Amino acid sequence: MRRKNNIVKVLSSMALAIAIGSATAGVLTARLGYRVSFAILALIIGLSSLISTTLPETLGERSSEKGVNSWRLLGEFKYNVFTGLWLIFFLYLALGIMVGGLASSLVKEELVDERSARMITGIGFGLSSIVASVFFFIHGKMMLKAGPQKVAAYSSIISFSAFLLGIVVRTPGVQLGTLGAFGIALSGLMLASTLLVTEVPKEVRGTSVGL
């Protein structure tokens, strides 16, 4: 129970960081330019590298011997693990399609001009991340009672319905609402997949999460 609560807290922090990054990225690049923005990104990643050197070693002396049979042990939990892997695969596939093609699709359909399309995409993903950060807590509470499968199904259905609405009603406001609703699926699928791939023995947890 405590470990699940810790996972919810970590993922909530991730969502909050994404929301802050999405909301400030446009302003940052517009005012400072890409060169300064990339320098800031390099600094952040560099600091992360330095901090990572202070993390405690978690592998025991006999971990290599346990690792020999990790695939066989992991096979006993293959249903949960591969369910989690498929969930995160489809989530990142959806994110890739939206990040790579949403703005150009809005322009091609002549719904908005290019500048407005970029603004809708940027603001929409910021809104989506904010919604996700809130729903991480909500889904965390739900998951302790209902389980990851039901939370994943519920969050997916809401996001699926929102995208269908976005197809029928093609206005900038509805597109923003659709991206905001995607935050519900973002939090539900990410949290469900994380719990599924970590609900394995500690000897194979690293392998499972690595997959």
Side-chain angles (χ1 to χ4, degrees):
M1 181 75 71
R2 181 180 297 177
R3 188 164 68 85
K4 288 184 177 180
N5 286 331
N6 288 337
I7 290 174
V8 173
K9 291 177 182 178
V10 170
L11 292 176
S12 298
S13 300
M14 289 169 55
L16 182 61
I18 293 171
I20 294 172
S22 299
T24 58
V27 177
L28 184 67
T29 54
R31 291 182 177 274
L32 302 179
Y34 282 99
R35 182 174 297 179
V36 176
S37 300
F38 272 55
I40 293 174
L41 287 172
L43 177 62
I44 292 172
I45 295 172
L47 288 174
S48 300
S49 300
L50 291 176
I51 292 173
S52 67
T53 62
T54 66
L55 297 176
E57 215 26 88
T58 57
L59 297 177
E61 294 180 359
R62 298 177 60 83
S63 61
S64 58
E65 295 179 14
K66 294 177 182 178
V68 173
N69 298 319
S70 62
W71 286 105
R72 189 191 316 172
L73 181 58
L74 191 61
E76 299 177 12
F77 300 87
K78 57 180 177 294
Y79 176 79
N80 282 357
V81 171
F82 282 99
T83 300
L85 293 180
W86 277 114
L87 285 178
I88 203 68
F89 172 78
F90 285 120
L91 175 63
Y92 276 91
L93 182 63
L95 283 169
I97 291 172
M98 287 189 290
V99 171
L102 180 59
S104 58
S105 296
L106 292 174
V107 175
K108 186 176 181 180
E109 291 291 325
E110 298 182 350
L111 299 178
V112 292
D113 57 43
E114 186 174 349
R115 182 174 181 275
S116 298
R118 292 198 300 267
M119 287 182 61
I120 289 174
T121 303
I123 295 172
F125 275 109
L127 178 62
S128 180
S129 299
I130 292 172
V131 171
S133 65
V134 174
F135 270 85
F136 268 123
F137 290 101
I138 297 174
H139 287 153
K141 297 294 183 181
M142 291 174 58
M143 202 165 293
L144 295 176
K145 297 181 179 180
Q149 287 87 354
K150 291 182 179 179
V151 169
Y154 145 82
S155 58
S156 298
I157 289 172
I158 290 180
S159 185
F160 174 76
S161 302
F163 277 112
L164 286 183
L165 179 63
I167 294 173
V168 177
V169 184
R170 301 189 304 168
T171 63
V174 171
Q175 302 303 319
L176 283 175
T178 297
L179 291 176
F182 177 71
I184 299 176
L186 180 65
S187 60
L189 294 179
M190 188 174 290
L191 183 56
S193 62
T194 301
L195 289 178
L196 286 169
V197 300
T198 56
E199 286 296 304
V200 296
K202 62 180 181 179
E203 293 83 2
V204 294
R205 195 170 295 150
T207 302
S208 180
V209 174
L211 286 172

